[in-house]
Short mmCIF file of all heavy atoms in Angstrom, two decimals:
data_model
loop_
_atom_site.label_atom_id
_atom_site.label_comp_id
_atom_site.label_asym_id
_atom_site.label_seq_id
_atom_site.Cartn_x
_atom_site.Cartn_y
_atom_site.Cartn_z
N VAL A 17 29.95 -59.10 -96.44
CA VAL A 17 30.10 -57.89 -95.64
C VAL A 17 31.35 -58.04 -94.79
O VAL A 17 31.52 -59.05 -94.10
CB VAL A 17 28.87 -57.67 -94.72
CG1 VAL A 17 29.04 -56.40 -93.89
CG2 VAL A 17 27.59 -57.61 -95.54
N PHE A 18 32.22 -57.03 -94.85
CA PHE A 18 33.45 -57.04 -94.06
C PHE A 18 33.39 -55.87 -93.08
O PHE A 18 33.16 -54.72 -93.47
CB PHE A 18 34.67 -56.91 -94.96
CG PHE A 18 34.74 -57.97 -96.03
CD1 PHE A 18 34.32 -57.68 -97.33
CD2 PHE A 18 35.17 -59.25 -95.75
CE1 PHE A 18 34.37 -58.64 -98.32
CE2 PHE A 18 35.21 -60.22 -96.73
CZ PHE A 18 34.81 -59.93 -98.03
N ALA A 19 33.59 -56.17 -91.79
CA ALA A 19 33.44 -55.14 -90.76
C ALA A 19 34.50 -55.32 -89.70
O ALA A 19 34.98 -56.43 -89.44
CB ALA A 19 32.05 -55.21 -90.14
N SER A 20 34.84 -54.20 -89.04
CA SER A 20 35.86 -54.24 -88.00
C SER A 20 35.49 -53.30 -86.87
O SER A 20 34.62 -52.43 -87.01
CB SER A 20 37.24 -53.87 -88.57
OG SER A 20 37.25 -52.53 -89.01
N HIS A 21 36.18 -53.45 -85.73
CA HIS A 21 35.96 -52.57 -84.58
C HIS A 21 37.19 -52.62 -83.69
O HIS A 21 38.11 -53.42 -83.90
CB HIS A 21 34.71 -53.00 -83.80
CG HIS A 21 34.89 -54.23 -82.98
ND1 HIS A 21 35.02 -54.20 -81.62
CD2 HIS A 21 35.00 -55.54 -83.33
CE1 HIS A 21 35.18 -55.43 -81.15
NE2 HIS A 21 35.17 -56.27 -82.18
N SER A 22 37.19 -51.75 -82.65
CA SER A 22 38.37 -51.64 -81.78
C SER A 22 38.02 -51.76 -80.30
O SER A 22 38.86 -51.45 -79.45
CB SER A 22 39.07 -50.30 -82.03
OG SER A 22 38.18 -49.23 -81.79
N GLU A 23 36.81 -52.20 -79.97
CA GLU A 23 36.36 -52.25 -78.58
C GLU A 23 36.30 -53.70 -78.10
O GLU A 23 36.81 -54.61 -78.74
CB GLU A 23 35.01 -51.55 -78.47
CG GLU A 23 34.97 -50.14 -79.02
CD GLU A 23 35.87 -49.18 -78.27
OE1 GLU A 23 36.17 -49.44 -77.09
OE2 GLU A 23 36.27 -48.15 -78.85
N GLU A 24 35.61 -53.89 -76.95
CA GLU A 24 35.46 -55.24 -76.43
C GLU A 24 34.58 -56.06 -77.36
O GLU A 24 33.58 -55.58 -77.89
CB GLU A 24 34.84 -55.21 -75.03
CG GLU A 24 35.66 -54.48 -73.99
CD GLU A 24 35.22 -53.04 -73.82
OE1 GLU A 24 34.62 -52.49 -74.79
OE2 GLU A 24 35.47 -52.47 -72.76
N ASN A 25 34.94 -57.32 -77.53
CA ASN A 25 34.14 -58.22 -78.34
C ASN A 25 32.95 -58.74 -77.53
O ASN A 25 32.93 -58.69 -76.30
CB ASN A 25 34.99 -59.39 -78.83
CG ASN A 25 35.88 -59.01 -80.00
OD1 ASN A 25 35.43 -58.94 -81.14
ND2 ASN A 25 37.15 -58.74 -79.71
N VAL A 26 31.98 -59.26 -78.24
CA VAL A 26 30.85 -59.91 -77.57
C VAL A 26 31.30 -61.27 -77.06
O VAL A 26 32.34 -61.80 -77.46
CB VAL A 26 29.66 -60.05 -78.53
CG1 VAL A 26 29.14 -58.68 -78.96
CG2 VAL A 26 30.04 -60.86 -79.78
N ALA A 27 30.49 -61.83 -76.15
CA ALA A 27 30.80 -63.14 -75.58
C ALA A 27 30.91 -64.19 -76.69
O ALA A 27 30.20 -64.10 -77.70
CB ALA A 27 29.71 -63.52 -74.58
N PRO A 28 31.82 -65.13 -76.55
CA PRO A 28 32.65 -65.42 -75.37
C PRO A 28 34.03 -64.75 -75.39
O PRO A 28 34.92 -65.18 -74.64
CB PRO A 28 32.80 -66.94 -75.45
CG PRO A 28 32.86 -67.21 -76.92
CD PRO A 28 31.94 -66.21 -77.58
N ASN A 29 34.20 -63.74 -76.19
CA ASN A 29 35.52 -63.11 -76.33
C ASN A 29 35.52 -61.69 -75.78
O ASN A 29 36.23 -60.82 -76.27
CB ASN A 29 35.93 -63.09 -77.81
CG ASN A 29 35.98 -64.48 -78.41
OD1 ASN A 29 36.73 -65.33 -77.97
ND2 ASN A 29 35.14 -64.71 -79.42
N GLU A 30 34.71 -61.43 -74.73
CA GLU A 30 34.55 -60.08 -74.23
C GLU A 30 35.82 -59.49 -73.60
O GLU A 30 35.90 -58.28 -73.38
CB GLU A 30 33.40 -60.01 -73.23
CG GLU A 30 33.57 -60.90 -72.02
CD GLU A 30 32.90 -62.25 -72.17
OE1 GLU A 30 32.90 -62.79 -73.30
OE2 GLU A 30 32.38 -62.76 -71.18
N ASN A 31 36.80 -60.32 -73.30
CA ASN A 31 38.06 -59.82 -72.73
C ASN A 31 39.11 -59.55 -73.79
O ASN A 31 40.25 -59.21 -73.46
CB ASN A 31 38.61 -60.83 -71.71
CG ASN A 31 37.69 -60.99 -70.51
OD1 ASN A 31 37.12 -60.01 -70.04
ND2 ASN A 31 37.54 -62.21 -70.04
N VAL A 32 38.73 -59.67 -75.05
CA VAL A 32 39.64 -59.44 -76.17
C VAL A 32 39.21 -58.17 -76.89
O VAL A 32 38.02 -57.97 -77.16
CB VAL A 32 39.64 -60.63 -77.14
CG1 VAL A 32 40.56 -60.36 -78.33
CG2 VAL A 32 40.06 -61.91 -76.42
N MET A 33 40.16 -57.30 -77.19
CA MET A 33 39.86 -56.04 -77.86
C MET A 33 40.00 -56.17 -79.36
O MET A 33 41.00 -56.70 -79.87
CB MET A 33 40.79 -54.94 -77.37
CG MET A 33 40.67 -54.64 -75.89
SD MET A 33 39.09 -53.89 -75.45
CE MET A 33 39.30 -52.28 -76.20
N GLY A 34 39.01 -55.66 -80.10
CA GLY A 34 39.10 -55.52 -81.55
C GLY A 34 38.85 -56.79 -82.32
O GLY A 34 38.92 -57.91 -81.80
N GLY A 35 38.51 -56.62 -83.59
CA GLY A 35 38.30 -57.76 -84.45
C GLY A 35 37.84 -57.33 -85.83
O GLY A 35 37.37 -56.20 -86.03
N VAL A 36 38.00 -58.24 -86.78
CA VAL A 36 37.50 -58.04 -88.14
C VAL A 36 36.78 -59.31 -88.53
O VAL A 36 37.18 -60.41 -88.16
CB VAL A 36 38.65 -57.70 -89.12
CG1 VAL A 36 39.72 -58.78 -89.13
CG2 VAL A 36 38.12 -57.45 -90.52
N VAL A 37 35.69 -59.15 -89.26
CA VAL A 37 34.84 -60.29 -89.57
C VAL A 37 34.42 -60.25 -91.02
O VAL A 37 34.26 -59.17 -91.62
CB VAL A 37 33.60 -60.31 -88.64
CG1 VAL A 37 32.71 -59.11 -88.91
CG2 VAL A 37 32.82 -61.59 -88.75
N GLY A 38 34.26 -61.42 -91.61
CA GLY A 38 33.66 -61.58 -92.92
C GLY A 38 32.32 -62.27 -92.78
O GLY A 38 32.22 -63.31 -92.11
N LEU A 39 31.27 -61.70 -93.36
CA LEU A 39 29.93 -62.23 -93.25
C LEU A 39 29.37 -62.51 -94.64
O LEU A 39 29.77 -61.89 -95.62
CB LEU A 39 29.00 -61.22 -92.54
CG LEU A 39 29.47 -60.65 -91.20
CD1 LEU A 39 28.53 -59.53 -90.76
CD2 LEU A 39 29.55 -61.74 -90.15
N ARG A 40 28.41 -63.41 -94.70
CA ARG A 40 27.66 -63.64 -95.94
C ARG A 40 26.18 -63.48 -95.65
O ARG A 40 25.66 -64.04 -94.68
CB ARG A 40 27.96 -65.01 -96.53
CG ARG A 40 27.11 -65.34 -97.75
CD ARG A 40 27.67 -66.48 -98.58
NE ARG A 40 28.74 -66.01 -99.47
CZ ARG A 40 29.97 -66.51 -99.50
NH1 ARG A 40 30.30 -67.50 -98.68
NH2 ARG A 40 30.88 -66.04 -100.33
N VAL A 41 25.50 -62.69 -96.49
CA VAL A 41 24.07 -62.44 -96.34
C VAL A 41 23.33 -63.20 -97.43
O VAL A 41 23.76 -63.22 -98.60
CB VAL A 41 23.77 -60.93 -96.42
CG1 VAL A 41 22.27 -60.67 -96.29
CG2 VAL A 41 24.55 -60.17 -95.35
N SER A 42 22.21 -63.80 -97.06
CA SER A 42 21.41 -64.55 -98.03
C SER A 42 19.94 -64.48 -97.67
O SER A 42 19.57 -64.09 -96.56
CB SER A 42 21.88 -66.02 -98.08
OG SER A 42 21.70 -66.63 -96.81
N GLY A 43 19.10 -64.87 -98.62
CA GLY A 43 17.67 -64.90 -98.38
C GLY A 43 17.02 -63.54 -98.58
O GLY A 43 17.68 -62.53 -98.84
N THR A 44 15.70 -63.52 -98.44
CA THR A 44 14.93 -62.29 -98.64
C THR A 44 13.83 -62.20 -97.60
O THR A 44 13.43 -63.21 -96.99
CB THR A 44 14.29 -62.25 -100.04
OG1 THR A 44 13.41 -63.38 -100.20
CG2 THR A 44 15.35 -62.28 -101.13
N GLY A 45 13.33 -60.97 -97.41
CA GLY A 45 12.21 -60.74 -96.51
C GLY A 45 12.49 -61.29 -95.12
O GLY A 45 13.59 -61.15 -94.57
N ALA A 46 11.48 -61.93 -94.53
CA ALA A 46 11.63 -62.49 -93.19
C ALA A 46 12.64 -63.62 -93.14
O ALA A 46 13.09 -64.01 -92.05
CB ALA A 46 10.27 -62.98 -92.69
N ASP A 47 13.03 -64.15 -94.29
CA ASP A 47 13.99 -65.26 -94.34
C ASP A 47 15.41 -64.78 -94.62
O ASP A 47 16.30 -65.60 -94.86
CB ASP A 47 13.57 -66.26 -95.42
CG ASP A 47 12.23 -66.92 -95.11
OD1 ASP A 47 11.98 -67.20 -93.92
OD2 ASP A 47 11.44 -67.13 -96.04
N THR A 48 15.65 -63.47 -94.60
CA THR A 48 17.00 -62.97 -94.78
C THR A 48 17.84 -63.35 -93.57
O THR A 48 17.41 -63.23 -92.43
CB THR A 48 17.00 -61.44 -94.94
OG1 THR A 48 16.06 -61.07 -95.94
CG2 THR A 48 18.37 -60.93 -95.33
#
């Protein structure tokens, strides 16, 4: 999953604006 935004980042980078991230999803059900 590739996602981006233009607002404040979550901690510990809350003073930095914007970001793009690459994620990997795995597992199923409650173990996803």
Side-chain angles (χ1 to χ4, degrees):
V17 180
F18 305 99
S20 65
H21 74 105
S22 58
E23 306 296 336
E24 299 95 336
N25 282 280
V26 297
N29 301 300
E30 60 266 35
N31 296 321
V32 178
M33 298 292 290
V36 57
V37 66
L39 309 172
R40 175 162 279 124
V41 179
S42 61
T44 60
D47 296 323
T48 309

